[in-house]
mmCIF file of all heavy atoms in Angstrom:
data_model
loop_
_atom_site.group_PDB
_atom_site.id
_atom_site.type_symbol
_atom_site.label_atom_id
_atom_site.label_comp_id
_atom_site.label_asym_id
_atom_site.label_seq_id
_atom_site.Cartn_x
_atom_site.Cartn_y
_atom_site.Cartn_z
ATOM 1 N N ARG K 46 -17.829 24.360 2.276
ATOM 2 C CA ARG K 46 -18.885 25.223 1.736
ATOM 3 C C ARG K 46 -18.914 26.589 2.440
ATOM 4 O O ARG K 46 -19.236 27.593 1.833
ATOM 5 C CB ARG K 46 -20.253 24.549 1.903
ATOM 6 C CG ARG K 46 -20.467 23.322 1.024
ATOM 7 C CD ARG K 46 -20.916 23.684 -0.376
ATOM 8 N NE ARG K 46 -21.121 22.490 -1.204
ATOM 9 C CZ ARG K 46 -20.282 22.102 -2.171
ATOM 10 N NH1 ARG K 46 -19.199 22.809 -2.450
ATOM 11 N NH2 ARG K 46 -20.532 21.018 -2.871
ATOM 12 N N GLY K 47 -18.555 26.598 3.732
ATOM 13 C CA GLY K 47 -18.700 27.838 4.487
ATOM 14 C C GLY K 47 -17.419 28.585 4.751
ATOM 15 O O GLY K 47 -17.450 29.805 4.964
ATOM 16 N N ALA K 48 -16.277 27.900 4.730
ATOM 17 C CA ALA K 48 -15.001 28.557 5.059
ATOM 18 C C ALA K 48 -13.908 28.002 4.146
ATOM 19 O O ALA K 48 -13.725 28.504 3.044
ATOM 20 C CB ALA K 48 -14.653 28.351 6.531
ATOM 21 N N ALA K 49 -13.221 26.957 4.589
ATOM 22 C CA ALA K 49 -12.185 26.360 3.747
ATOM 23 C C ALA K 49 -11.779 25.000 4.292
ATOM 24 O O ALA K 49 -11.850 24.748 5.495
ATOM 25 C CB ALA K 49 -10.957 27.265 3.671
ATOM 26 N N GLY K 50 -11.331 24.154 3.371
ATOM 27 C CA GLY K 50 -10.833 22.827 3.732
ATOM 28 C C GLY K 50 -9.530 22.552 3.006
ATOM 29 O O GLY K 50 -9.286 23.065 1.912
ATOM 30 N N LEU K 51 -8.686 21.728 3.662
ATOM 31 C CA LEU K 51 -7.386 21.378 3.098
ATOM 32 C C LEU K 51 -7.372 19.873 2.817
ATOM 33 O O LEU K 51 -7.693 19.071 3.700
ATOM 34 C CB LEU K 51 -6.284 21.742 4.104
ATOM 35 C CG LEU K 51 -4.867 21.895 3.557
ATOM 36 C CD1 LEU K 51 -4.791 23.040 2.548
ATOM 37 C CD2 LEU K 51 -3.879 22.133 4.696
ATOM 38 N N PHE K 52 -7.026 19.501 1.605
ATOM 39 C CA PHE K 52 -7.067 18.102 1.165
ATOM 40 C C PHE K 52 -5.689 17.644 0.713
ATOM 41 O O PHE K 52 -5.003 18.366 -0.022
ATOM 42 C CB PHE K 52 -8.015 17.941 -0.038
ATOM 43 C CG PHE K 52 -9.453 18.295 0.222
ATOM 44 C CD1 PHE K 52 -9.874 19.613 0.144
ATOM 45 C CD2 PHE K 52 -10.391 17.312 0.515
ATOM 46 C CE1 PHE K 52 -11.213 19.944 0.360
ATOM 47 C CE2 PHE K 52 -11.714 17.632 0.724
ATOM 48 C CZ PHE K 52 -12.134 18.950 0.653
ATOM 49 N N ASP K 53 -5.338 16.434 1.122
ATOM 50 C CA ASP K 53 -4.163 15.779 0.550
ATOM 51 C C ASP K 53 -4.627 14.965 -0.653
ATOM 52 O O ASP K 53 -5.364 13.994 -0.505
ATOM 53 C CB ASP K 53 -3.525 14.851 1.594
ATOM 54 C CG ASP K 53 -2.350 14.058 1.019
ATOM 55 O OD1 ASP K 53 -1.853 14.431 -0.068
ATOM 56 O OD2 ASP K 53 -1.933 13.077 1.663
ATOM 57 N N VAL K 54 -4.216 15.380 -1.841
ATOM 58 C CA VAL K 54 -4.552 14.603 -3.042
ATOM 59 C C VAL K 54 -3.267 14.213 -3.777
ATOM 60 O O VAL K 54 -3.222 14.126 -5.004
ATOM 61 C CB VAL K 54 -5.559 15.340 -3.952
ATOM 62 C CG1 VAL K 54 -6.967 15.119 -3.423
ATOM 63 C CG2 VAL K 54 -5.297 16.832 -4.056
ATOM 64 N N SER K 55 -2.242 13.962 -2.958
ATOM 65 C CA SER K 55 -0.929 13.599 -3.520
ATOM 66 C C SER K 55 -0.940 12.256 -4.227
ATOM 67 O O SER K 55 0.020 11.930 -4.931
ATOM 68 C CB SER K 55 0.113 13.548 -2.395
ATOM 69 O OG SER K 55 0.198 14.778 -1.725
ATOM 70 N N HIS K 56 -2.006 11.486 -4.024
ATOM 71 C CA HIS K 56 -2.070 10.201 -4.725
ATOM 72 C C HIS K 56 -2.282 10.392 -6.217
ATOM 73 O O HIS K 56 -1.989 9.503 -7.003
ATOM 74 C CB HIS K 56 -3.188 9.332 -4.144
ATOM 75 C CG HIS K 56 -4.562 9.932 -4.217
ATOM 76 N ND1 HIS K 56 -4.837 11.222 -3.817
ATOM 77 C CD2 HIS K 56 -5.733 9.425 -4.647
ATOM 78 C CE1 HIS K 56 -6.126 11.461 -4.009
ATOM 79 N NE2 HIS K 56 -6.686 10.391 -4.509
ATOM 80 N N MET K 57 -2.785 11.550 -6.609
ATOM 81 C CA MET K 57 -3.025 11.779 -8.037
ATOM 82 C C MET K 57 -1.691 11.813 -8.788
ATOM 83 O O MET K 57 -0.645 12.129 -8.220
ATOM 84 C CB MET K 57 -3.802 13.073 -8.238
ATOM 85 C CG MET K 57 -5.177 12.976 -7.566
ATOM 86 S SD MET K 57 -6.302 14.300 -7.997
ATOM 87 C CE MET K 57 -6.799 13.792 -9.636
ATOM 88 N N GLY K 58 -1.754 11.484 -10.075
ATOM 89 C CA GLY K 58 -0.538 11.400 -10.873
ATOM 90 C C GLY K 58 -0.278 12.689 -11.633
ATOM 91 O O GLY K 58 -1.207 13.454 -11.927
ATOM 92 N N GLU K 59 0.998 12.949 -11.926
ATOM 93 C CA GLU K 59 1.387 14.111 -12.725
ATOM 94 C C GLU K 59 2.323 13.657 -13.833
ATOM 95 O O GLU K 59 3.375 13.072 -13.566
ATOM 96 C CB GLU K 59 2.093 15.169 -11.858
ATOM 97 C CG GLU K 59 1.200 15.796 -10.786
ATOM 98 C CD GLU K 59 1.152 14.972 -9.488
ATOM 99 O OE1 GLU K 59 1.944 14.016 -9.373
ATOM 100 O OE2 GLU K 59 0.326 15.283 -8.612
ATOM 101 N N VAL K 60 1.922 13.932 -15.066
ATOM 102 C CA VAL K 60 2.715 13.558 -16.234
ATOM 103 C C VAL K 60 2.990 14.836 -17.019
ATOM 104 O O VAL K 60 2.084 15.651 -17.214
ATOM 105 C CB VAL K 60 1.950 12.553 -17.133
ATOM 106 C CG1 VAL K 60 2.775 12.190 -18.363
ATOM 107 C CG2 VAL K 60 1.568 11.311 -16.348
ATOM 108 N N GLU K 61 4.236 15.020 -17.444
ATOM 109 C CA GLU K 61 4.563 16.207 -18.229
ATOM 110 C C GLU K 61 4.933 15.801 -19.645
ATOM 111 O O GLU K 61 5.747 14.901 -19.850
ATOM 112 C CB GLU K 61 5.726 16.980 -17.585
ATOM 113 C CG GLU K 61 6.022 18.276 -18.332
ATOM 114 C CD GLU K 61 7.172 19.065 -17.721
ATOM 115 O OE1 GLU K 61 7.612 18.718 -16.607
ATOM 116 O OE2 GLU K 61 7.623 20.028 -18.368
ATOM 117 N N LEU K 62 4.313 16.478 -20.625
ATOM 118 C CA LEU K 62 4.700 16.328 -22.024
ATOM 119 C C LEU K 62 5.394 17.620 -22.425
ATOM 120 O O LEU K 62 4.852 18.708 -22.203
ATOM 121 C CB LEU K 62 3.481 16.095 -22.925
ATOM 122 C CG LEU K 62 2.773 14.730 -22.784
ATOM 123 C CD1 LEU K 62 1.815 14.738 -21.618
ATOM 124 C CD2 LEU K 62 2.034 14.372 -24.075
ATOM 125 N N SER K 63 6.587 17.505 -22.977
ATOM 126 C CA SER K 63 7.343 18.711 -23.314
ATOM 127 C C SER K 63 8.098 18.519 -24.619
ATOM 128 O O SER K 63 8.291 17.386 -25.084
ATOM 129 C CB SER K 63 8.306 19.064 -22.178
ATOM 130 O OG SER K 63 9.197 18.000 -21.957
ATOM 131 N N GLY K 64 8.525 19.647 -25.174
ATOM 132 C CA GLY K 64 9.296 19.614 -26.408
ATOM 133 C C GLY K 64 8.474 20.104 -27.594
ATOM 134 O O GLY K 64 7.268 20.345 -27.467
ATOM 135 N N PRO K 65 9.124 20.246 -28.735
ATOM 136 C CA PRO K 65 8.461 20.836 -29.914
ATOM 137 C C PRO K 65 7.211 20.068 -30.351
ATOM 138 O O PRO K 65 6.282 20.659 -30.905
ATOM 139 C CB PRO K 65 9.545 20.750 -31.001
ATOM 140 C CG PRO K 65 10.828 20.596 -30.279
ATOM 141 C CD PRO K 65 10.534 19.927 -28.971
ATOM 142 N N GLY K 66 7.166 18.765 -30.093
ATOM 143 C CA GLY K 66 6.000 17.981 -30.529
ATOM 144 C C GLY K 66 4.930 17.847 -29.472
ATOM 145 O O GLY K 66 3.924 17.143 -29.673
ATOM 146 N N ALA K 67 5.093 18.526 -28.326
ATOM 147 C CA ALA K 67 4.186 18.279 -27.200
ATOM 148 C C ALA K 67 2.764 18.757 -27.480
ATOM 149 O O ALA K 67 1.787 18.073 -27.151
ATOM 150 C CB ALA K 67 4.729 18.951 -25.934
ATOM 151 N N GLU K 68 2.651 19.945 -28.086
ATOM 152 C CA GLU K 68 1.299 20.462 -28.342
ATOM 153 C C GLU K 68 0.531 19.537 -29.289
ATOM 154 O O GLU K 68 -0.642 19.204 -29.056
ATOM 155 C CB GLU K 68 1.349 21.878 -28.926
ATOM 156 C CG GLU K 68 -0.035 22.469 -29.096
ATOM 157 C CD GLU K 68 -0.028 23.817 -29.805
ATOM 158 O OE1 GLU K 68 0.118 23.830 -31.047
ATOM 159 O OE2 GLU K 68 -0.160 24.840 -29.115
ATOM 160 N N ALA K 69 1.216 19.105 -30.337
ATOM 161 C CA ALA K 69 0.550 18.208 -31.298
ATOM 162 C C ALA K 69 0.170 16.884 -30.635
ATOM 163 O O ALA K 69 -0.912 16.334 -30.889
ATOM 164 C CB ALA K 69 1.472 17.964 -32.496
ATOM 165 N N ALA K 70 1.037 16.383 -29.747
ATOM 166 C CA ALA K 70 0.730 15.124 -29.063
ATOM 167 C C ALA K 70 -0.489 15.297 -28.162
ATOM 168 O O ALA K 70 -1.395 14.452 -28.140
ATOM 169 C CB ALA K 70 1.941 14.670 -28.255
ATOM 170 N N CYS K 71 -0.533 16.400 -27.407
ATOM 171 C CA CYS K 71 -1.691 16.656 -26.527
ATOM 172 C C CYS K 71 -2.965 16.819 -27.364
ATOM 173 O O CYS K 71 -4.041 16.361 -26.963
ATOM 174 C CB CYS K 71 -1.458 17.910 -25.691
ATOM 175 S SG CYS K 71 -0.208 17.716 -24.406
ATOM 176 N N ALA K 72 -2.839 17.467 -28.507
ATOM 177 C CA ALA K 72 -4.008 17.695 -29.356
ATOM 178 C C ALA K 72 -4.548 16.373 -29.893
ATOM 179 O O ALA K 72 -5.749 16.221 -30.124
ATOM 180 C CB ALA K 72 -3.650 18.629 -30.507
ATOM 181 N N ARG K 73 -3.656 15.413 -30.086
ATOM 182 C CA ARG K 73 -4.080 14.135 -30.637
ATOM 183 C C ARG K 73 -4.612 13.191 -29.548
ATOM 184 O O ARG K 73 -5.533 12.424 -29.771
ATOM 185 C CB ARG K 73 -2.894 13.488 -31.370
ATOM 186 C CG ARG K 73 -3.279 12.479 -32.431
ATOM 187 C CD ARG K 73 -2.096 12.114 -33.313
ATOM 188 N NE ARG K 73 -0.962 11.628 -32.549
ATOM 189 C CZ ARG K 73 0.186 12.289 -32.362
ATOM 190 N NH1 ARG K 73 0.364 13.468 -32.925
ATOM 191 N NH2 ARG K 73 1.148 11.771 -31.627
ATOM 192 N N LEU K 74 -4.018 13.300 -28.333
ATOM 193 C CA LEU K 74 -4.337 12.342 -27.276
ATOM 194 C C LEU K 74 -5.468 12.803 -26.349
ATOM 195 O O LEU K 74 -6.096 11.984 -25.694
ATOM 196 C CB LEU K 74 -3.083 12.085 -26.422
ATOM 197 C CG LEU K 74 -2.007 11.260 -27.104
ATOM 198 C CD1 LEU K 74 -0.726 11.261 -26.271
ATOM 199 C CD2 LEU K 74 -2.489 9.830 -27.295
ATOM 200 N N PHE K 75 -5.692 14.111 -26.256
ATOM 201 C CA PHE K 75 -6.682 14.642 -25.314
ATOM 202 C C PHE K 75 -7.805 15.317 -26.088
ATOM 203 O O PHE K 75 -7.569 15.991 -27.091
ATOM 204 C CB PHE K 75 -6.029 15.644 -24.342
ATOM 205 C CG PHE K 75 -4.784 15.115 -23.671
ATOM 206 C CD1 PHE K 75 -3.703 15.956 -23.415
ATOM 207 C CD2 PHE K 75 -4.683 13.776 -23.303
ATOM 208 C CE1 PHE K 75 -2.550 15.472 -22.806
ATOM 209 C CE2 PHE K 75 -3.529 13.284 -22.688
ATOM 210 C CZ PHE K 75 -2.457 14.139 -22.441
ATOM 211 N N THR K 76 -9.039 15.177 -25.589
ATOM 212 C CA THR K 76 -10.195 15.585 -26.405
ATOM 213 C C THR K 76 -10.435 17.086 -26.448
ATOM 214 O O THR K 76 -10.983 17.596 -27.413
ATOM 215 C CB THR K 76 -11.479 14.913 -25.880
ATOM 216 O OG1 THR K 76 -11.713 15.370 -24.546
ATOM 217 C CG2 THR K 76 -11.374 13.403 -25.934
ATOM 218 N N ASN K 77 -10.078 17.803 -25.363
ATOM 219 C CA ASN K 77 -10.244 19.252 -25.418
ATOM 220 C C ASN K 77 -9.120 19.821 -26.290
ATOM 221 O O ASN K 77 -8.123 19.147 -26.537
ATOM 222 C CB ASN K 77 -10.207 19.844 -24.003
ATOM 223 C CG ASN K 77 -11.070 21.088 -23.888
ATOM 224 O OD1 ASN K 77 -11.326 21.769 -24.886
ATOM 225 N ND2 ASN K 77 -11.519 21.387 -22.694
ATOM 226 N N ASP K 78 -9.270 21.054 -26.766
ATOM 227 C CA ASP K 78 -8.308 21.588 -27.731
ATOM 228 C C ASP K 78 -7.207 22.355 -27.019
ATOM 229 O O ASP K 78 -7.373 23.517 -26.666
ATOM 230 C CB ASP K 78 -9.014 22.477 -28.752
ATOM 231 C CG ASP K 78 -8.091 22.817 -29.917
ATOM 232 O OD1 ASP K 78 -6.892 22.457 -29.846
ATOM 233 O OD2 ASP K 78 -8.563 23.441 -30.877
ATOM 234 N N VAL K 79 -6.091 21.665 -26.840
ATOM 235 C CA VAL K 79 -4.974 22.239 -26.097
ATOM 236 C C VAL K 79 -4.331 23.398 -26.873
ATOM 237 O O VAL K 79 -3.646 24.235 -26.288
ATOM 238 C CB VAL K 79 -3.964 21.097 -25.795
ATOM 239 C CG1 VAL K 79 -3.113 20.803 -27.005
ATOM 240 C CG2 VAL K 79 -3.137 21.394 -24.575
ATOM 241 N N ARG K 80 -4.611 23.472 -28.169
ATOM 242 C CA ARG K 80 -3.999 24.543 -28.993
ATOM 243 C C ARG K 80 -4.562 25.904 -28.637
ATOM 244 O O ARG K 80 -3.947 26.930 -28.902
ATOM 245 C CB ARG K 80 -4.220 24.246 -30.492
ATOM 246 C CG ARG K 80 -3.612 22.897 -30.920
ATOM 247 C CD ARG K 80 -4.032 22.532 -32.324
ATOM 248 N NE ARG K 80 -5.496 22.577 -32.467
ATOM 249 C CZ ARG K 80 -6.151 22.399 -33.611
ATOM 250 N NH1 ARG K 80 -5.473 22.175 -34.726
ATOM 251 N NH2 ARG K 80 -7.459 22.450 -33.640
ATOM 252 N N THR K 81 -5.755 25.922 -28.027
ATOM 253 C CA THR K 81 -6.362 27.199 -27.639
ATOM 254 C C THR K 81 -5.928 27.626 -26.234
ATOM 255 O O THR K 81 -6.360 28.661 -25.741
ATOM 256 C CB THR K 81 -7.899 27.080 -27.634
ATOM 257 O OG1 THR K 81 -8.274 26.142 -26.608
ATOM 258 C CG2 THR K 81 -8.418 26.603 -28.977
ATOM 259 N N LEU K 82 -5.098 26.790 -25.600
ATOM 260 C CA LEU K 82 -4.749 27.016 -24.197
ATOM 261 C C LEU K 82 -3.534 27.945 -24.111
ATOM 262 O O LEU K 82 -2.462 27.629 -24.648
ATOM 263 C CB LEU K 82 -4.431 25.659 -23.556
ATOM 264 C CG LEU K 82 -4.409 25.522 -22.053
ATOM 265 C CD1 LEU K 82 -5.732 25.936 -21.430
ATOM 266 C CD2 LEU K 82 -4.088 24.077 -21.684
ATOM 267 N N ALA K 83 -3.701 29.090 -23.440
ATOM 268 C CA ALA K 83 -2.596 30.032 -23.279
ATOM 269 C C ALA K 83 -1.635 29.516 -22.209
ATOM 270 O O ALA K 83 -2.026 28.766 -21.315
ATOM 271 C CB ALA K 83 -3.126 31.402 -22.867
ATOM 272 N N VAL K 84 -0.374 29.931 -22.304
ATOM 273 C CA VAL K 84 0.579 29.592 -21.246
ATOM 274 C C VAL K 84 0.067 30.182 -19.936
ATOM 275 O O VAL K 84 -0.365 31.333 -19.882
ATOM 276 C CB VAL K 84 1.981 30.153 -21.581
ATOM 277 C CG1 VAL K 84 2.934 29.931 -20.408
ATOM 278 C CG2 VAL K 84 2.521 29.508 -22.849
ATOM 279 N N GLY K 85 0.050 29.364 -18.882
ATOM 280 C CA GLY K 85 -0.471 29.825 -17.592
ATOM 281 C C GLY K 85 -1.948 29.557 -17.412
ATOM 282 O O GLY K 85 -2.570 30.075 -16.483
#
Side-chain angles (χ1 to χ4, degrees):
Chain K
R46 291 277 180 254
L51 200 63
F52 298 84
D53 176 15
V54 278
S55 302
H56 59 312
M57 298 191 76
E59 295 85 9
V60 179
E61 184 180 349
L62 290 83
S63 59
E68 184 186 77
C71 289
R73 203 167 56 251
L74 288 171
F75 309 143
T76 63
N77 211 335
D78 191 354
V79 80
R80 301 171 307 175
T81 65
L82 197 57
V84 174

